[in-house]
Amino acid sequence: MATENVENDQLYYPPADERQLTARAVITGCIVGSVVSCTNIYIGLKIGWAFGASIISAVLAFSLFSMFQNRLSILETNIAQTAGSAAGYMSSAAGLLAPIPAMAMLGYEFHWSALMLWAVSVAFLGVFFAVPLRRQVVEIDKLRFPTGTATAETILAMYGDAAEALAKARILIVAGVVAGLFTLNYHFFPILEKPQIHTWPILSGLSILAVAATWGFEVYLGPSLMGAGFLIGPRVVLSLVGGAILGWGILGPISQQMGWAPGEVMSYSNGPRGWLLWPGVALMVSEALMALLLSWKTFVNALTMPVIRNLDTDEGESEPTHIPNSWWIGGLILGSILTTFITYNVFSIPPYQTVIAIALSAVLAVVAVRSVGETDINPIGGMGKVTQLVFGGIAPGNMGTNLMSAAITAGGASQAGDMMQDLKTGRLLGAAPRKQFFAQLCGICFGILFAVPVYFIFTKAYPLGKDQLPAPAAMAWKAMAEVLNVGFSALPPYAVHAMVIAGIVGALISILRLNKTLRPYIPSGLAMGIAFIVPAYYSLVMFYGLVIYLIWKTVAPQQAERYNFALASGLIAGEGLMGIVNAGLTILGIG
């Protein structure tokens, strides 16, 4: 059994009287995180990904108060990033990027109040799952938690060079304003977002451009996805482009020519888009599940962690800092009761099935925490698919139960992983876990107040599953539920064959990534699968962003390294926030 004599690994030792849990730190973090959560809904319903809010919350909170010559302390900045991170991930934890839109596409309708209660209960479960694991994975195992470590180092760096932090904040704000103005203008002049270059007189003679545009290979200039291309790296971006070429440039035309999908290119019912959905989903799911299977050591380590005596007490300390066992145990009980009540009254899921889902979520949240600690990757999609497979046997023929049971797992894994990243940051900075716990709960509540209404605004303005909001992650969840409900007989001709091949490829990708030499050159199966589901121009615009970043890095490497995150975050936030305004204008019929 591991010893309790834990070697100290702090980077900063705060004075005893340093301010920490203050109203200004919590409120600032909540506001910044809620903005990120809103932009995550926009970009998540486009490409299926969400971005963290830890570093951006820390930078903006520090910069805001520095401008007024009343800057936050280091521990206050940590509280701001904790609250901001919790609020920012509510778009994912509440299921607003996958299970909830999947349910909507199946015809289910939700009242906003029910969705808010659901979001609170599931997100709180994730926090309570994480608390008892902190001592083991953070203090004893000392897992890296790369994002949490990077956030701590960023906070300390800002206090060493305040001018640089202010410069990053200015770049983020300017990029956000430019992206926002561009987004507002393309609402009134759509040609700005998608210039139809194949119709230009100088290029109209090139019929190949018109054919390419039919299959989605056209110019699209969305700032948020271009900014994402700056952040997600060459391997993922090139995987998206490769997936787009393979799917929309090769397999799609073949499926139409062979009569397997004879309808319009973008038709889900009988066109290539509906046919490509299935191999895309198979590729995503098989890679995620194989990755989980290959991480068996993580499962074993997670499930055999020693029980630490006096897990969260503060014997001999004048001020309690750790989280009492009674808090997380009581919270877990209340959260489970609330989740059971909501799933029964809103989704008609029998209470015993919700209890099974919560128990399964607790186990998988442990795995998610260790995965985040070791790799910085939270396999939320894979965790959800495991639960979908389990409930395919427990509740066959019930797609609503299948989806929302898996949503409990995904939400718990999302918040548990996020909570542990924040606790790692706090550990490195000498923060009190108890105070971070309060900040996390505040961030969850605040983030929900923004995320749920914004989700309704977007989905009321634009239909899910269409070009404006293709919702690829939701499509994958919906497709899995449909297969488990109906069986393979309902799929288009030869879609099963394509799924088998894609499934084998996805599994091989996970296996090949075990080789450290090959790992940098192995494509992302998740990204390739997403590229099969979304129109090709979404993949291309992220490629534009990557090219711009690589040119910038070549010309001014230090500047690119220093300001890349700020510029990309500004582009993503600017379009995401103005996208809410555009959705409101669409609902009102303006423009």
Side-chain angles (χ1 to χ4, degrees):
M1 178 178 288
T3 178
E4 285 194 71
N5 295 323
V6 181
E7 179 186 350
N8 208 330
D9 57 350
Q10 288 180 219
L11 299 176
Y12 172 71
Y13 295 87
D17 60 347
E18 181 167 329
R19 290 179 299 177
Q20 188 166 174
L21 184 67
T22 61
R24 64 176 188 168
V26 173
I27 293 171
T28 304
C30 286
I31 292 173
V32 174
S34 297
V35 169
V36 173
S37 186
C38 293
T39 62
N40 272 339
I41 291 174
Y42 180 78
I43 197 169
L45 290 176
K46 282 198 169 189
I47 62 170
W49 284 319
F51 294 93
S54 297
I55 294 178
I56 187 175
S57 296
V59 170
L60 287 182
F62 172 86
S63 302
L64 175 65
F65 288 97
S66 293
M67 287 189 293
F68 294 103
Q69 304 300 315
N70 187 26
R71 73 182 191 179
L72 302 174
S73 71
I74 288 178
L75 294 185
E76 279 184 299
T77 304
N78 176 58
I79 288 294
Q81 73 84 19
T82 301
S85 177
Y89 270 114
M90 279 315 301
S91 54
S92 173
L96 302 178
L97 308 184
I100 296 299
M103 291 282 284
M105 286 187 281
L106 290 171
Y108 291 85
E109 295 183 358
F110 315 104
H111 192 267
W112 65 268
S113 58
L115 200 52
M116 282 190 169
L117 285 174
W118 154 262
V120 168
S121 62
V122 173
F124 277 14
L125 281 179
V127 171
F128 300 133
F129 289 154
V131 169
L133 305 177
R134 174 192 173 274
R135 184 70 175 272
Q136 181 68 44
V137 300
V138 173
E139 295 187 6
I140 295 177
D141 292 346
K142 291 187 175 65
L143 297 186
R144 175 70 174 171
F145 289 97
T147 294
T149 300
T151 302
E153 291 173 346
T154 298
I155 291 173
L156 292 177
M158 288 190 301
Y159 284 83
D161 189 351
E164 182 172 318
L166 290 173
K168 289 179 179 178
R170 282 194 293 269
I171 288 173
L172 190 152
I173 292 169
V174 170
V177 170
V178 171
L181 291 175
F182 179 81
T183 303
L184 180 62
N185 276 281
Y186 75 58
H187 174 78
F188 297 100
F189 308 101
I191 197 71
L192 293 174
E193 184 184 31
K194 291 177 68 175
Q196 305 293 302
I197 65 171
H198 59 281
T199 64
W200 294 359
I202 192 172
L203 298 174
S204 59
L206 299 175
S207 58
I208 190 174
L209 291 179
V211 173
T214 301
W215 289 94
F217 292 94
E218 53 187 329
V219 175
Y220 171 76
L221 300 176
S224 61
L225 298 191
M226 191 176 293
F230 280 60
L231 294 178
I232 60 180
R235 186 181 75 89
V236 175
V237 173
L238 294 177
S239 298
L240 284 163
V241 174
I245 293 171
L246 177 60
W248 297 98
I250 299 174
L251 296 179
I254 289 175
S255 70
Q256 189 179 63
Q257 186 176 9
M258 298 298 291
W260 308 335
E264 295 292 328
V265 170
M266 292 297 169
S267 170
Y268 273 115
S269 59
N270 66 344
R273 187 174 193 179
W275 191 89
L276 286 171
L277 168 69
W278 300 102
V281 167
L283 191 57
M284 296 167 66
V285 171
S286 65
E287 186 196 32
L289 294 184
M290 180 56 73
L292 283 177
L293 182 63
L294 293 174
S295 63
W296 62 271
K297 289 184 179 179
T298 296
F299 273 92
V300 173
N301 291 338
L303 300 179
T304 59
M305 287 189 299
V307 177
I308 306 301
R309 291 187 304 104
N310 299 324
L311 181 66
D312 280 310
T313 60
D314 297 272
E315 296 178 6
E317 293 187 17
S318 59
E319 180 185 358
T321 61
H322 285 287
I323 303 164
N325 290 338
S326 59
W327 289 14
W328 68 265
I329 293 173
L332 193 56
I333 293 171
L334 292 176
S336 298
I337 293 172
L338 180 59
T339 302
T340 303
F341 175 81
I342 293 296
T343 53
Y344 178 72
N345 287 279
V346 177
F347 308 116
S348 302
I349 299 176
Y352 81 92
Q353 291 184 3
T354 300
V355 172
I356 292 173
I358 292 172
L360 184 59
S361 299
V363 174
L364 294 178
V366 175
V367 178
V369 164
R370 289 201 71 94
S371 178
V372 170
E374 294 172 3
T375 69
D376 211 35
I377 297 171
N378 195 337
I380 296 171
M383 299 297 181
K385 300 301 181 295
V386 169
T387 308
Q388 282 191 276
L389 291 171
V390 171
F391 273 83
I394 294 175
N398 192 326
M399 289 188 286
T401 297
N402 185 281
L403 284 166
M404 297 317 298
S405 298
I408 295 173
T409 299
S414 176
Q415 275 297 341
D418 174 63
M419 175 74 172
M420 204 60 73
Q421 293 273 29
D422 296 337
L423 290 174
K424 176 67 174 183
T425 303
R427 167 67 178 177
L428 296 173
L429 297 178
R434 180 180 297 206
K435 295 179 179 179
Q436 285 190 273
F437 178 79
F438 281 124
Q440 187 89 8
L441 297 184
C442 290
I444 288 172
C445 296
F446 209 88
I448 290 169
L449 294 177
F450 284 78
V452 171
V454 167
Y455 169 80
F456 278 104
I457 290 172
F458 278 126
T459 54
K460 183 176 178 61
Y462 311 114
L464 285 165
K466 302 298 182 182
D467 285 357
Q468 192 70 30
L469 295 178
M475 282 292 184
W477 283 59
K478 173 175 174 283
M480 175 66 83
E482 288 174 335
V483 168
L484 292 171
N485 181 61
V486 179
F488 291 110
S489 60
L491 302 183
Y494 290 95
V496 173
H497 300 73
M499 289 178 70
V500 171
I501 295 171
I504 293 172
V505 171
L508 287 174
I509 285 174
S510 287
I511 293 170
L512 290 173
R513 280 186 57 76
L514 293 176
N515 187 302
K516 292 183 179 180
T517 303
L518 295 176
R519 187 178 300 166
Y521 310 103
I522 302 300
S524 164
L526 172 67
M528 292 182 69
I530 286 175
F532 275 43
I533 299 172
V534 301
Y537 53 78
Y538 283 139
S539 300
L540 295 180
V541 70
M542 284 187 273
F543 179 69
Y544 308 155
L546 174 64
V547 170
I548 293 171
Y549 169 68
L550 292 177
I551 293 173
W552 184 17
K553 191 175 180 179
T554 301
V555 174
Q558 290 185 340
Q559 187 185 66
E561 182 69 24
R562 188 174 299 148
Y563 300 119
N564 171 47
F565 184 87
L567 178 62
S569 298
L571 293 175
I572 292 170
E575 185 180 10
L577 291 178
M578 192 56 71
I580 300 170
V581 175
N582 284 359
L585 294 175
T586 299
I587 294 171
L588 296 174
I590 299 174

